[in-house]
Amino acid sequence: MVTMRDVAERANVSIATVSFVINGTKRVAPETRARIEAAIQELNYRRNVVARALASSRTRILALAHPDLEPKPNATVIQFVMGAAHGARERGYDLVLWPVNDDEQMSHLLAGGLVDGVLLMEVQIRDARVERLLAAQVPFALIGRTEDDDLPYVDIDFATTIHQAVEHLRGHGHERVALVTQQTGAAGEPGRIKRVESAYRDAIAPLGHPPAVIAVESTSAGGRDAARRLHDDFPEVTAAVLVNEGAAAGLVKGTRALGRHVPGDLSIISAATTRELGEMIEPSLTVMAAPAAELGRMAADALIDRLEGAGEAPPSVLIPCALVPGESVGPPPAR
């Protein structure tokens, strides 16, 4: 088996310098790094995670705990994950996805000693996973928020995002604006859904009309259901803020199937999503693009800072989504 000593001898450097490059723990001159990386490739060196853990009591592995990604992860979730993975790798850590849907799975995560810390996604208002991590004294950071804002978190600023979306629609003359969000499962209510609904109610309050909130599955079928319910239950609505990425295409298709047009009869803004999604749908959607990759990277940095004692205080970071105009918003239809 090729060892770190073999790599050091091939590159004509010390074992410590090889360790700095492999673990990303210290800056190494570019030409020295190049020699070490060439030696690693030539010798087909593979790090021994078990040996490293025994030597340092650290694995340099982080777990990203997320509910099972079914039916499939959406583009924004993937950007969160990739941002966290890149951020971890730049600091010399590896990131593994760890589905956690019940207490038994959480116990496996905490008992194995495989990971140094945990990133939590799809955070609930009252999240039992947080209580388990606190009790086990496992370092963690949140992508999302519980009801306790004293915990370290990064999150989308949903209040600013939803207010900006509603203001954009009002700027086009819309007075009756609905919210289409995501149904919650048995695991509980994600904090983002509660904050989105609260922000929506605040944003439309000056309009003097009752709220119109529809929660559907995060699927194309869910989007078609939302289109039907908007048509049947809220015929006065002329615009919708969608915070349900999986339902976006179905909402547009379902609206057309009812003989209506986007944006002629219904304007749509898809919030907390990706620019790419907006471009994939016809007409192209106006979106509030989520800073997912940036937040994922910041969460990884916050957790690693905590592991390495580099941070002064746990972060509390909120970043709003950015408006990206498309072709799905126009003036309301003449009544």
Side-chain angles (χ1 to χ4, degrees):
M1 179 182 294
V2 178
T3 66
M4 199 179 297
R5 182 182 297 278
D6 297 324
V7 174
E9 290 176 354
R10 175 67 66 92
N12 196 27
V13 297
S14 69
I15 295 176
T17 304
V18 174
S19 176
F20 295 152
V21 170
I22 291 174
N23 294 317
T25 52
K26 189 173 181 180
R27 187 175 181 83
V28 175
E31 59 274 15
T32 303
R33 174 181 290 275
R35 292 206 314 274
I36 293 171
E37 290 175 345
I40 289 171
Q41 186 172 3
E42 292 167 6
L43 297 172
N44 197 27
Y45 172 74
R46 296 288 185 270
R47 287 184 293 176
N48 188 318
V49 174
V50 175
R52 182 177 64 188
L54 290 172
S56 65
S57 298
R58 298 274 296 278
T59 65
R60 301 189 74 83
I61 297 175
L62 310 178
L64 194 153
H66 192 291
D68 280 341
L69 301 177
E70 294 181 350
K72 61 181 180 179
N74 62 45
T76 305
V77 169
I78 292 172
Q79 288 190 0
F80 273 114
V81 172
M82 295 308 298
H86 289 316
R89 178 55 58 87
E90 289 174 2
R91 300 282 296 272
Y93 287 76
D94 294 309
L95 184 76
V96 296
L97 285 177
W98 200 293
V100 174
N101 289 318
D102 55 40
D103 194 62
E104 181 179 358
Q105 292 169 341
M106 195 67 185
S107 296
H108 289 163
L109 171 60
L110 298 179
L114 175 64
V115 301
D116 293 338
V118 178
L119 295 173
L120 289 184
M121 284 189 68
E122 283 297 291
V123 177
Q124 312 293 318
I125 291 293
R126 296 177 180 85
D127 201 312
R129 298 173 302 170
V130 172
E131 300 303 321
R132 291 293 304 277
L133 289 167
L134 288 170
Q137 297 183 324
V138 173
F140 67 92
L142 306 178
I143 302 176
R145 287 176 285 165
T146 67
E147 60 186 356
D148 183 359
D149 284 344
D150 291 333
L151 295 172
Y153 68 82
V154 301
D155 199 6
I156 293 172
D157 185 344
F158 287 107
T160 299
T161 296
I162 299 303
H163 275 77
Q164 289 179 349
V166 171
E167 283 303 307
H168 185 71
L169 292 169
R170 291 186 66 182
H172 283 77
H174 294 278
E175 297 291 322
R176 305 301 293 266
V177 179
L179 173 69
V180 178
T181 186
Q182 183 176 344
Q183 283 181 347
T184 59
E189 182 180 37
R192 60 182 171 80
I193 293 179
K194 181 175 181 178
R195 291 182 173 90
V196 162
E197 291 190 7
S198 176
Y200 161 75
R201 294 176 187 276
D202 288 344
I204 68 163
L207 299 175
H209 301 296
V213 179
I214 297 174
V216 295
E217 293 181 351
S218 188
T219 62
S220 183
R224 293 192 296 272
D225 180 36
R228 179 188 57 78
R229 290 166 63 183
L230 283 171
H231 179 269
D232 294 347
D233 301 340
F234 303 102
E236 71 283 356
V237 164
T238 61
V241 177
L242 173 69
V243 190
N244 185 334
E245 188 168 273
L251 176 58
V252 175
K253 291 178 181 178
T255 300
R256 286 179 181 163
L258 291 166
R260 308 177 76 197
H261 298 89
V262 176
D265 298 298
L266 180 71
S267 289
I268 299 172
I269 292 182
S270 183
T273 184
T274 67
R275 298 169 186 262
E276 292 76 15
L277 176 77
E279 295 169 355
M280 291 171 61
I281 296 174
E282 181 63 35
S284 62
L285 292 181
T286 293
V287 304
M288 303 293 292
E294 181 182 2
L295 288 171
R297 187 181 297 268
M298 292 176 70
D301 277 334
L303 177 54
I304 294 169
D305 284 346
R306 187 175 180 190
L307 289 168
E308 298 182 351
E312 294 181 2
S316 300
V317 179
L318 293 175
I319 302 178
C321 298
L323 178 68
V324 182
E327 299 173 342
S328 63
V329 173
R335 297 296 187 185

